[in-house]
Amino acid sequence: MPNDQPIPIRELPIPALVQKADRAIAEASQIILGKEVQIRLSLACLISGGHLLIEDIPGVGKTTLAQTLARLLGLSYQRIQFTSDLLPADIIGASIYERQSDGFRFHPGPIFAQLVLADEVNRATPKAQSALLEAMEERQVTVDGVTRPLPQPFFVIATQNPTHQVGTFPLPESQLDRFLMRIDLGYPGEQAERDLLRGRNRRELLHALQAALNAQELLALRAAAFKLHVSDALLDYLQAVVRYTREAPRFETGLSPRAAIALKHAAQAWALLMGHTGVVPEDLQAVLQGVVGHRLRLKATHESSSSATLTGELLEAVPIP
Amino acid sequence: MNAVRAADFDARLEQTRLLWTLAAMLVMVLPHALHLAPWIIFAAVLVALWRLAAAYRGWPLFNRFTRIGFGLLAFLGVFATYHTLNGPEAGTALLILLAALKLMEARGLRDYFLALVIALFIGIANFLYDQSIPLAIYMIPAVWLAITALLNVAHPDASRTALTSLKTTGRMLLPALPIALVLFLLFPRIPGPLWGVALPQDSAITGLSTQMSPDTISRLAQSDAIAFQVKFLSPAPPRARLYWRAMVLHDYAHGIWSMGNALWPNNETLATHGAPVRYEMTLEPNNLRVLYALDLPVRAPKNTYLTADYELVTQHPVTEHKLYAVTSYTDYSYGADTPSWILRRDLRLPQGDDPRARRLARQWRATAGSPEQVVQDALRMFHDQPFVYTLQPGVLTGPNRIDEFLFDTRRGFCEHYASAFVFLMRAAGIPAHVVIGYQGGSVNPLDGYYIVRQDDAHAWAEVWFTGRGWVRVDPTAAVDPARVEEGLAAALPAGEVPGYFFRSHPWLGNMRNLWDAVNNGWNQWVLAYGPELQKRFFAHVGLDYGNWLQLALVLLVLIGGILVLVWLVLLWRHRVPPPVAAVRDYRRFCRKLAKCGLTRQPHEGPLDYAKRVIRSRPDLAEPVHAITSLYVELRYTGMGSTREFNRLVQAFRPQQ
């Protein structure tokens, strides 16, 4: 079936998968309390094939979210703790001499997993960061002249502390761009925090968690998401948003075409998770903050405002055509 | 690697620019090939070919000193050909050669730009030689091409085809048309020919001259070129009265009649009968200082004056189309009080020649009772004796040409009859002179204009009677009345009729009528549009000629208006498309809810809005849900029925 044909999702086995995804989200919400939207966003990000950056202060559950997702999605999982003395070889692996075979053998690094958690990515030096980011972009690594593909699917969930904290190397804009979404978790709500304090140890819960989906199903969901109908009306809206960022005087740089494509894919994945048969403006609005927040920069002359209020203003400024 | 590719790219850029510039040059220079010395065009083409080879084969360009040498050669060559560097011909020749030399060193945007501007100027120079419709039509695509070349030189774009760039410039030129029209009509006209440049005055113009020799008129009869066109404002006189007066010839010597020197101011008595005839003339350039008018004009148009012979004389030779209005009386006699010392001029004959004619005249004078009787005798002779009206009279070379014609050959064209008649009258002691001009003309049924062609050229006589003054006598009419009443074709023997081709094919004749009408319109409204016509146009539209401040304001307003109009058209073309039916209906639904105090925010999605509405008005949940889900389906999934949606929105009536 050609790509541009609208696919009524009800006629495919996709609804069952969407239900499973819903269940996964519900289960994850049992562990990370009161953060359902962020969990759903993360899942949408992974479904649309993008990498995820979680930025927040330590202790609000960034790592737990990444681990939960890895478990629920049934992916092979590796964690790399980024430190200032981390070397690229620690990420992608190295060829090591073996006496028995009298030759070099490649020892794959932790990057060779379907889901890689790059914890505190901004604490490593730019050298190590770029090793990771290159692998993210190319979905393969080259060591000693041999190119090795990374497993399919391949996701990176990176966490980082706010850049003003001590001992961080902020990611440059060009590398931030490689992340489809950046989300922050924020403090839990009053009730959620109470439940957190009363409830069981998170680590135990995590270990008890069963995979709700597998890699194959995740890829099927991605295919379904990319076939989801995107109407001209929605593209008009998307372009209006993008145009606004380029024309409004308060932004240093507008959104790139790559950002526009990212926005479309993320909105499709979100619409799929919401059970919509086509992408509606609300889907776009839901993912806008995640996709756009780390790509927009205010002009230096304007008063600083958080990326969330910035996206909020952007949303309100652009009418839905 | 990159450097190589960049150089390659530059070379291709250069080739594109060169090709476009050459194309523009070619179309602009081409019409000049008709009148410039061939070596100039040849040299220019040679340089162009060499430059092409240099661009595609990588030949080196010449150094500065060689180029200066070529430039000097061009100057020398033009000077050797035209003996001047001034004037239109030498000027265009120099322009073309220097443009070619500019191409020789052209490299980069600026040089090509300059070359193209020169090409445009060469194009304008075409109109120095020719202002006809075919050239004007040719120049339209030529200018279009040159502007397209300008676009492709300034913004070379490999992805743009020649056709799309033509379309682009076409769209750009289109708004310039009304502005050009406004400027043409309103911009103050400079009197005199285009740019005051004197055209090369050679024998290219067919028409009357200030002399009449035995073959002057019969040679003109071979040409069907238009002499002038007439629009009668009062009823047109019958054909036999359509004598168009040009010049009066007084002096006769060696078979040649000429005007003589003196132009007396006109203060003679004039007797007219009947109604005046008013008409407008569009005169083709005749290179003479004479305007033609229906016999006999009574008032001179502006900037001309009437001589004692009722010739309309202008200050400068007519070198471009001239439009003027005249009033004439076709029934007249003038100059009854002309003193005898002036009349003596019209009695002079060369001594000794043509004895037989003199004898005949003296014999008439002796027998006849009055000068009128002598005229009748002469006309009767032409009528009764076997005189033949023909275009091939044979050549008369002897000293006694009049005798030969009158008594031996008896074959002649109108100039022979007029000449012999005036000779006889003078010999009989009756003052007489030759008048040359045109007789007749044909109506173009398409626009009602009378067209008088060169083959209508004619010569007749005027005779002076005591008490009456000068009276027109046409001896040709006595020989062959058909010449005057029906025209040349009816009067001549069948084998001699010129323009035979048009007459034998009626549809060709119609085509010629159409072409004449178009040409006439072009002459009247475009070429003849000078200060006088402009003044008339200003009066017609209520403008004050000479009030330059008012004119400047009008120009400003008109051109500003056109620009605003173009801007509005562009705005309209880039307008937001009207909302589709579903959006219209959804907006209606939103307005209905807004009346209940639930206004949708512009950035609020339909699902969010529905949620908010249902939260505050649970009673509307069902219709709002139905409408919203159908709208989302219609708008964002490409499914659903517009009609059903319309019905739902129609039926939706929330209680306030």
Side-chain angles (χ1 to χ4, degrees):
Chain A
M1 196 179 271
N3 249 350
D4 49 343
Q5 210 71 21
I7 305 213
I9 297 168
R10 349 185 160 84
E11 292 167 22
L12 292 172
I14 297 300
L17 291 182
V18 173
Q19 270 178 10
K20 279 188 181 177
D22 267 344
R23 211 164 44 241
I25 292 165
E27 280 188 40
S29 303
Q30 296 301 311
I31 294 174
I32 305 138
L33 294 168
K35 294 294 169 200
E36 204 203 308
V37 175
Q38 280 84 344
I39 294 164
R40 195 179 281 272
L41 266 178
S42 313
L43 195 59
C45 178
L46 298 191
I47 284 174
S48 57
H51 305 293
L52 179 66
L53 180 64
I54 308 175
E55 180 180 293
D56 220 320
I57 51 169
V60 291
K62 298 189 294 284
T63 311
T64 314
L65 174 60
Q67 284 176 334
T68 311
L69 282 174
R71 285 235 156 216
L72 283 170
L73 299 181
L75 303 173
S76 67
Y77 171 69
Q78 288 280 4
R79 174 183 165 156
I80 312 169
Q81 178 63 50
F82 277 51
T83 56
S84 55
D85 56 358
L86 189 78
L87 292 174
D90 296 334
I91 299 171
I92 56 180
S95 294
I96 291 167
Y97 182 74
E98 282 189 346
R99 189 172 300 170
Q100 298 100 307
S101 56
D102 193 22
F104 285 93
R105 204 167 70 85
F106 180 67
H107 289 254
I111 194 90
F112 286 87
Q114 286 171 321
L115 197 152
V116 176
L117 172 62
D119 222 357
E120 300 188 297
V121 71
N122 59 344
R123 288 185 61 190
T125 55
K127 196 175 178 180
Q129 286 174 358
S130 64
L132 171 77
L133 293 159
E134 261 179 61
M136 283 163 59
E137 184 65 19
E138 311 283 333
R139 289 170 200 275
Q140 62 186 21
V141 292
T142 304
V143 180
D144 297 338
V146 182
T147 300
R148 295 162 208 276
L150 294 170
Q152 274 278 11
F154 174 72
F155 298 117
V156 171
I157 297 179
T159 71
Q160 78 171 353
N161 301 322
T163 47
H164 50 76
Q165 288 212 340
V166 183
T168 58
F169 296 90
L171 290 174
E173 270 165 81
S174 61
Q175 305 207 327
L176 276 177
D177 204 33
R178 309 247 166 102
F179 291 98
L180 180 78
M181 282 194 203
R182 186 190 69 177
I183 60 172
D184 41 27
L185 288 169
Y187 300 117
E190 200 74 12
Q191 187 59 44
E193 190 149 33
R194 177 65 63 94
D195 291 347
L196 188 67
L197 294 170
R198 281 195 187 284
R200 291 167 60 196
N201 187 325
R202 299 294 116 185
R203 199 156 299 279
E204 285 172 28
L205 284 173
L206 203 57
H207 280 298
L209 211 55
Q210 293 296 313
L213 289 163
N214 60 34
Q216 215 52 49
E217 289 168 328
L218 197 63
L219 288 175
L221 277 173
R222 182 192 296 181
F226 285 178
K227 282 182 185 171
L228 205 59
H229 184 69
V230 180
S231 64
D232 284 338
L234 190 95
L235 289 180
D236 285 344
Y237 181 44
L238 197 158
Q239 283 187 294
V241 168
V242 171
R243 200 180 315 119
Y244 182 82
T245 66
R246 293 172 189 169
E247 288 172 0
R250 43 181 307 158
F251 297 111
E252 171 92 44
T253 49
L255 291 175
S256 63
R258 175 154 57 175
I261 293 169
L263 201 50
K264 181 189 137 187
H265 285 165
Q268 281 177 314
W270 181 269
L272 183 73
L273 286 179
M274 296 300 284
H276 296 154
T277 47
V279 183
V280 298
E282 283 86 344
D283 300 328
L284 190 72
Q285 293 174 344
V287 298
L288 189 69
Q289 159 67 22
V291 176
V292 158
H294 60 295
R295 300 179 207 249
L296 277 181
R297 274 244 317 268
L298 272 182
K299 275 212 178 110
T301 51
H302 287 86
E303 77 289 357
S304 66
S305 49
S306 79
S307 79
T309 54
L310 199 63
T311 336
E313 282 169 30
L314 173 62
L315 258 182
E316 285 182 16
V318 183
I320 297 171
Chain B
M1 171 78 184
N2 249 345
V4 171
R5 212 179 298 158
D8 200 34
F9 175 77
D10 276 353
R12 219 159 334 123
L13 193 78
E14 199 76 0
Q15 286 163 7
T16 314
R17 285 176 165 163
L18 181 69
L19 277 180
W20 277 103
T21 311
L22 280 179
M25 287 257 188
L26 181 74
V27 295
M28 291 302 185
V29 169
L30 212 57
H32 284 294
L34 295 174
H35 48 250
L36 286 185
W39 73 265
I40 289 162
I41 309 292
F42 186 68
V45 168
L46 217 59
V47 172
L49 288 178
W50 172 83
R51 187 64 184 79
L52 268 180
Y56 282 87
R57 291 283 174 83
W59 292 1
L61 299 182
F62 288 113
N63 65 27
R64 174 194 297 251
F65 296 104
T66 324
R67 291 199 308 261
I68 291 175
F70 276 126
L72 286 175
L73 268 181
F75 273 93
L76 278 177
V78 168
F79 192 79
T81 310
Y82 296 102
H83 308 295
T84 174
L85 293 177
N86 218 337
E89 281 190 309
T92 30
L94 213 52
L95 206 58
I96 289 172
L97 286 178
L98 292 185
L101 290 181
K102 182 75 216 170
L103 273 183
M104 216 177 217
E105 61 169 10
R107 195 191 308 230
L109 181 61
R110 192 182 141 276
D111 286 343
Y112 287 112
F113 239 92
L114 189 65
L116 276 174
V117 172
I118 300 175
L120 281 172
F121 205 79
I122 293 172
I124 296 171
N126 279 317
F127 287 110
L128 286 175
Y129 300 91
D130 184 1
Q131 300 166 20
S132 64
I133 296 178
L135 181 68
I137 289 175
Y138 173 85
M139 284 308 286
I140 292 171
V143 169
W144 190 353
L145 184 75
I147 301 293
T148 311
L150 214 51
L151 172 77
N152 280 301
V153 163
H155 303 283
D157 183 352
S159 67
R160 188 173 49 212
T161 63
L163 201 67
T164 50
S165 57
L166 272 172
K167 275 187 195 158
T168 307
T169 46
R171 268 200 302 275
M172 286 159 79
L173 281 173
L174 222 51
L177 281 183
I179 296 177
L181 186 70
V182 165
L183 287 176
F184 173 81
L185 287 173
L186 296 185
F187 196 81
R189 288 278 155 167
I190 306 147
L194 200 61
W195 309 316
V197 178
L199 279 173
Q201 303 196 355
D202 45 24
S203 59
I205 292 176
T206 318
L208 295 177
S209 64
T210 54
Q211 291 186 336
M212 185 182 83
S213 53
D215 64 343
T216 307
I217 310 282
S218 41
R219 210 174 46 223
L220 282 183
Q222 315 285 353
S223 160
D224 67 347
I226 292 173
F228 54 91
Q229 310 202 38
V230 191
K231 182 185 175 189
F232 283 104
L233 303 173
S234 52
R239 187 192 166 93
R241 294 215 160 181
L242 293 178
Y243 280 86
W244 306 97
R245 192 183 187 90
M247 283 161 287
V248 174
L249 308 179
H250 297 281
D251 297 351
Y252 177 70
H254 310 296
I256 293 172
W257 290 88
S258 56
M259 292 178 80
N261 298 326
L263 291 166
W264 309 99
N266 184 1
N267 53 4
E268 293 176 332
T269 55
L270 171 70
T272 59
H273 311 281
V277 182
R278 294 187 304 113
Y279 53 96
E280 277 179 358
M281 305 273 290
T282 314
L283 183 62
E284 302 273 326
N286 61 9
N287 243 348
L288 298 172
R289 286 182 50 205
V290 175
L291 301 186
Y292 308 147
L294 188 62
D295 209 18
L296 187 79
V298 291
R299 250 207 347 264
K302 243 191 149 91
N303 296 328
T304 61
Y305 61 94
L306 271 178
T307 66
D309 291 325
Y310 286 88
E311 299 153 330
L312 288 177
V313 176
T314 57
Q315 318 220 337
H316 306 286
V318 180
T319 52
E320 54 176 5
H321 284 86
K322 194 156 175 74
L323 192 70
Y324 54 95
V326 197
T327 303
S328 293
Y329 287 88
T330 55
D331 195 356
Y332 66 90
S333 59
Y334 71 93
D337 56 352
T338 311
S340 58
W341 59 274
I342 293 180
L343 286 177
R344 208 170 311 147
R345 183 184 188 199
D346 290 325
L347 286 168
R348 268 205 312 255
L349 284 178
Q351 290 295 313
D353 292 343
D354 305 302
R356 282 189 282 175
R358 285 168 200 263
R359 207 178 309 133
L360 179 65
R362 273 199 298 276
Q363 183 190 327
W364 283 340
R365 187 78 178 108
T367 56
S370 64
E372 280 91 340
Q373 190 56 51
V374 177
V375 171
Q376 289 309 316
D377 285 343
L379 291 181
R380 194 172 320 112
M381 176 190 74
F382 284 131
H383 188 254
D384 294 349
Q385 310 271 337
F387 279 95
V388 179
Y389 183 67
T390 172
L391 269 173
Q392 291 143 5
V395 186
L396 307 173
T397 51
N400 303 321
R401 291 185 188 82
I402 305 275
D403 273 4
E404 261 180 77
F405 166 67
L406 279 177
F407 303 104
D408 303 337
T409 66
R410 293 188 172 169
R411 295 168 59 83
F413 202 58
C414 52
E415 66 259 43
H416 298 91
Y417 292 100
S419 171
F421 178 80
V422 171
F423 187 96
L424 286 169
M425 291 304 112
R426 289 187 178 186
I430 302 168
H433 52 222
V434 173
V435 183
I436 55 173
Y438 297 85
Q439 202 283 323
S442 52
V443 190
N444 187 337
L446 289 173
D447 57 4
Y449 275 80
Y450 275 69
I451 300 170
V452 179
R453 298 175 189 280
Q454 296 298 350
D455 57 14
D456 291 316
H458 193 50
W460 60 95
E462 277 183 337
V463 182
W464 191 84
F465 298 123
T466 322
R468 282 175 70 191
W470 290 103
V471 173
R472 183 177 64 220
V473 178
D474 188 354
T476 308
V479 179
D480 198 339
R483 164 65 185 90
V484 176
E485 273 143 29
E486 292 162 55
L488 186 65
L492 284 175
E496 289 186 18
V497 180
Y500 150 82
F501 193 63
F502 283 113
R503 279 169 236 265
S504 64
H505 294 83
W507 62 271
L508 270 179
N510 289 341
M511 290 290 287
R512 191 164 75 147
N513 279 341
L514 182 67
W515 176 238
D516 285 343
V518 169
N519 240 325
N520 187 27
W522 173 256
N523 293 342
Q524 299 238 351
W525 297 111
V526 181
L527 295 186
Y529 192 78
E532 288 115 45
L533 262 185
Q534 192 174 36
K535 199 179 280 183
R536 235 192 291 169
F537 176 76
F538 273 37
H540 191 72
V541 297
L543 282 175
D544 200 2
Y545 192 81
N547 184 346
W548 302 130
L549 184 69
Q550 185 199 41
L551 184 63
L553 278 177
V554 168
L555 277 178
L556 210 68
V557 167
L558 276 177
I559 292 174
I562 291 166
L563 290 180
V564 167
L565 206 71
V566 169
W567 176 71
L568 284 177
V569 167
L570 287 180
L571 211 65
W572 185 76
R573 299 245 313 250
H574 293 103
R575 73 198 184 283
V576 186
V580 291
V583 175
R584 264 202 320 272
D585 284 335
Y586 183 70
R587 286 188 187 159
R588 200 135 58 98
F589 163 74
C590 293
R591 275 199 299 278
K592 284 179 176 177
L593 281 173
K595 282 186 192 149
C596 308
L598 291 161
T599 315
R600 187 176 81 93
Q601 300 300 311
H603 63 272
E604 199 169 16
L607 296 176
D608 286 346
Y609 181 47
K611 245 182 261 165
R612 185 159 67 88
V613 169
I614 292 171
R615 216 179 304 126
S616 58
R617 290 290 296 272
D619 55 313
L620 297 176
E622 200 183 320
V624 167
H625 193 83
I627 288 173
T628 303
S629 61
L630 189 49
Y631 174 65
V632 167
E633 232 175 69
L634 276 171
R635 189 120 169 93
Y636 297 107
T637 68
M639 291 179 290
S641 147
T642 319
R643 189 168 303 166
E644 166 74 4
F645 183 58
N646 182 269
R647 200 185 55 73
L648 278 178
V649 172
Q650 291 273 15
F652 180 64
R653 290 204 178 77
Q655 300 284 315
Q656 292 198 1

